[in-house]
Amino acid sequence: MHLGEFTLKDHQILGRQLARQEVALLRQQGKPPRVLVVAPCGSGKTVFSASIIQSAVQRNSRVLFIARGRQLIYQKSNTLTRAGVPHAVLMDGEEDK
């Protein structure tokens, strides 16, 4: 699966499938479709989450990404740009982008 200049790895594709299955199960049970994905450093969580965000944006869903620390926001914004995902950064002290 391609995402801009990125290609998702097998474990990221599997993670997307498992997360989607979990969301579907939660919806069937009438529960909020909230899933937490945990993975070690270097496993590609930023690209993985960019692929989830891209899917949501394509469905005209709203996405809010919150992180502690400017560096994580800059990293995510850079990844979203490289992946071709339209987005904006709203952060104190930053110009609208």
Side-chain angles (χ1 to χ4, degrees):
M1 176 179 185
H2 294 285
L3 179 68
E5 65 183 64
F6 302 103
T7 300
L8 266 61
K9 298 176 181 166
D10 289 343
H11 69 277
Q12 293 167 316
I13 294 169
L14 177 61
R16 278 179 54 94
Q17 292 169 346
L18 293 173
R20 284 176 165 239
Q21 289 173 4
E22 188 64 25
V23 165
L25 180 62
L26 290 168
R27 284 189 172 139
Q28 282 179 344
Q29 296 171 349
K31 297 179 182 177
R34 297 182 182 127
V35 176
L36 176 65
V37 176
V38 180
C41 293
S43 62
K45 293 182 297 289
T46 301
V47 172
F48 171 86
S49 62
S51 73
I52 300 289
I53 291 169
Q54 181 189 51
S55 293
V57 169
Q58 288 173 342
R59 292 188 316 271
N60 293 320
S61 295
R62 293 181 182 187
V63 177
L64 176 64
F65 177 82
I66 300 173
R68 181 175 176 171
R70 293 180 179 277
Q71 190 56 39
L72 290 176
I73 297 297
Y74 294 139
Q75 176 189 12
K76 175 58 80 177
S77 178
N78 183 26
T79 300
L80 290 170
T81 297
R82 291 171 57 201
V85 179
H87 67 284
V89 173
L90 303 174
M91 183 168 42
D92 186 39
E94 291 295 316
E95 298 279 329
D96 287 344
K97 295 182 182 180

